[in-house]
Amino acid sequence: MAPLRNASLPGTADTKPQEDHRVRVAREKRKRMRAHLMQSIIAVCSGRKLTGSTVIEDVVRHAEVSRGTFYKYFETLDEAVIEIASELAEEMTVGISSVYDVLDDPILRTATGFQTFLSRSLIDPNWGAFIIHLDLLNGEQNQIASKVKGDIRLGIQTGDYFVKSVDTAADLLMGAKHEAIRRIIAGEHDVSYIQDMAAMVLKSFGVSHHKAEKSVVHSFERLCKLAPAKLSWWKTDGPAAQFRSAP
């Protein structure tokens, strides 16, 4: 009997065709360029008014690309900023989960979340300036605010927090975070300021002085230990170098 056409050889299985090398390289190149443009937008737009074509000129100059290249990736500056804001919020929420969501203690959760945001602002002032400029820390539907309120509710349930209103306590924490980031990106403060602010927030929630100070130090040391391997934005040089010698 003649062999069947198109029959698979014994011991083999159908496999998906491999992606063309040139297609993969082109995709990676586009991905890198888009990320490069987004970093330039963050650097240029942080702390200034967004005025369309004027800012785009500064962005392409900073990125060392043409206006045509910019428009290959974004139709308008507003579109680019909205995309960046969304990605920054998602990136921070997803990234922090690896060091934050695994915690059950509401005090450690609050201390870790608060210090992570301030630490990133110290490491990358442009990032801090951008989220402050766009007011990404505010909003009832904000994932960050939602987690903050969840931790406060948990702290009330466990008897660790003594606050009359979850919303009021959340406003205090978010306001402190906003102002602390503003001071940090201005170059006025360092690691000790981050710890002091975190401890003061905990004390305002009714945590004892000793427990607040101890929890802040513990959560900060844990963050410094885990972050290099778990948070892509954590750098080991520059401002982050002081984390290695932090108390």
Side-chain angles (χ1 to χ4, degrees):
M1 179 181 296
L4 296 175
R5 293 181 180 180
N6 301 325
S8 299
L9 295 174
T12 65
D14 293 334
T15 59
K16 295 181 179 180
Q18 293 185 348
E19 182 181 38
D20 186 276
H21 173 70
R22 290 169 297 181
V23 174
R24 184 172 66 255
V25 170
R27 185 180 66 250
E28 290 299 320
K29 184 177 180 181
R30 289 194 299 270
K31 183 178 179 180
R32 288 194 299 272
M33 176 53 72
R34 186 173 184 276
H36 177 60
L37 286 172
M38 292 174 78
Q39 285 300 318
S40 290
I41 293 170
I42 291 174
V44 170
C45 295
S46 298
R48 61 178 291 182
K49 293 182 179 180
L50 306 182
T51 54
S53 60
T54 302
V55 178
I56 291 177
E57 286 294 340
D58 292 336
V59 169
V60 298
R61 187 180 302 112
H62 184 278
E64 298 183 336
V65 300
S66 67
R67 287 177 65 90
T69 297
F70 177 89
Y71 287 116
K72 284 182 181 179
Y73 294 86
F74 306 105
E75 291 186 5
T76 65
L77 180 64
D78 287 342
E79 175 195 332
V81 169
I82 290 172
E83 284 192 32
I84 293 172
S86 176
E87 290 193 15
L88 285 179
E90 181 178 359
E91 174 205 23
M92 197 63 179
T93 302
V94 173
I96 199 175
S97 65
S98 61
V99 295
Y100 166 87
D101 285 352
V102 296
L103 296 170
D104 296 321
D105 186 331
I107 297 178
L108 291 181
R109 285 174 67 87
T110 297
T112 298
F114 190 87
Q115 292 183 102
T116 300
F117 273 83
L118 270 57
S119 295
R120 182 164 189 180
S121 298
L122 184 61
I123 292 172
D124 186 358
N126 281 335
W127 175 88
F130 196 76
I131 66 169
I132 290 299
H133 183 58
L134 296 183
D135 209 17
L136 297 185
L137 296 179
N138 291 329
E140 288 299 318
Q141 304 304 319
N142 191 302
Q143 294 184 57
I144 301 167
S146 177
K147 284 183 175 293
V148 166
K149 291 181 180 181
D151 292 342
I152 295 172
R153 292 191 186 95
L154 178 61
I156 294 173
Q157 293 172 4
T158 59
D160 290 299
Y161 292 162
F162 302 90
V163 298
K164 292 182 179 181
S165 166
V166 171
D167 288 342
T168 302
D171 286 347
L172 185 148
L173 185 150
M174 299 299 280
K177 183 183 292 184
H178 187 285
E179 179 61 18
I181 291 176
R182 190 188 68 78
R183 297 289 293 274
I184 288 171
I185 62 178
E188 299 178 16
H189 294 291
D190 55 12
V191 166
S192 62
Y193 175 75
I194 292 174
Q195 294 183 328
D196 289 344
M197 284 294 291
M200 291 184 70
V201 167
L202 292 177
K203 293 171 192 176
S204 73
F205 290 175
V207 180
S208 70
H209 174 83
H210 175 73
K211 190 170 186 178
E213 297 286 342
K214 183 177 179 181
S215 297
V216 164
V217 171
H218 173 67
S219 61
F220 190 79
E221 290 177 344
R222 177 178 174 274
L223 176 63
C224 291
K225 180 179 179 181
L226 297 177
K230 294 183 177 293
L231 302 177
S232 61
W233 49 264
W234 191 280
K235 302 174 183 177
T236 57
D237 57 358
Q242 57 187 295
F243 294 159
R244 294 195 295 271
S245 59

